[in-house]
Amino acid sequence: MLPPARPRKLAKVPFVELADGRLQGVVSSGSDIGRVYVSSVAVGTYAFSCSTNNNRPCGGARGMFCNHIQALITESVLQYGAVRVARYLRVEVAGEELDAQAIAWGMSGTHPAQADSAAAAQVFSRFLRHLAYLELAPTTAPLPEMQWFPASRAVP
Ligand SMILES: [Zn+2]
């Protein structure tokens, strides 16, 4: 695994990746500690989807990117760097500073369609496998990804 370009807040977005032709990941709910959103944006078309881990559609992702997708874009830029994210998604950003906001605007300006949520289950199972990998990896270093779980938040 590559170290992130900049430190990320893993409690908010415990999982983000550029894979399967999508920017995809898991975003924790701001209000409910037991709920996460599975969000994705497709390369090139920017077709987006957002639903909970229980497969309920996100109320904010109707006709535009919701806060979860915005958070996913922001965290992907911290993880991979803006140039890599823009190149992967094929976003053209002309004459502006290339950052997460410019990437989000570059995509939403094309009025992308909403994708069906079939990808969500796939993304969520990748997240669970990612966690399993972290648990199995022989290391004594702290695992920042595990901060997402309330139980491990109590540990100083
Ligand atoms: Zn959402």
Side-chain angles (χ1 to χ4, degrees), residues 1 127-143 145-146 148-149:
M1 272 200 297
F127 169 56
L128 295 178
R129 247 182 296 155
H130 173 74
L131 291 178
Y133 165 78
L134 291 173
E135 281 177 60
L136 292 171
T139 174
T140 53
L143 297 173
E145 274 84 352
M146 300 308 280
W148 177 68
F149 289 98

Side-chain angles (χ1 to χ4, degrees), residues 8-16 25-28 68 71-72 75:
R8 301 199 298 111
K9 284 188 189 138
L10 289 154
K12 193 177 177 208
V13 181
F15 181 57
V16 57
V26 170
V27 181
S28 19
H68 312 111
L72 192 67
E75 294 300 305

Side-chain angles (χ1 to χ4, degrees), residues 36-118:
V36 294
Y37 288 87
V38 181
S39 313
S40 68
V41 181
V43 167
T45 65
Y46 319 135
F48 60 97
S49 84
C50 186
S51 56
T52 68
N53 49 320
N54 298 325
N55 218 15
R56 287 176 174 225
C58 169
R62 294 211 174 103
M64 58 180 183
F65 292 168
C66 60
N67 291 341
H68 312 111
I69 291 173
Q70 303 277 7
L72 192 67
I73 295 165
T74 300
E75 294 300 305
S76 72
V77 165
L78 293 177
Q79 176 84 34
Y80 298 103
V83 172
R84 195 170 157 200
V85 172
R87 200 185 296 146
Y88 175 81
L89 288 166
R90 295 185 214 134
V91 183
E92 301 284 336
V93 177
E96 291 169 64
E97 198 189 332
L98 185 60
D99 58 12
Q101 200 166 46
I103 291 171
W105 284 346
M107 293 194 290
S108 58
T110 67
H111 303 290
Q114 212 156 333
D116 65 49
S117 61

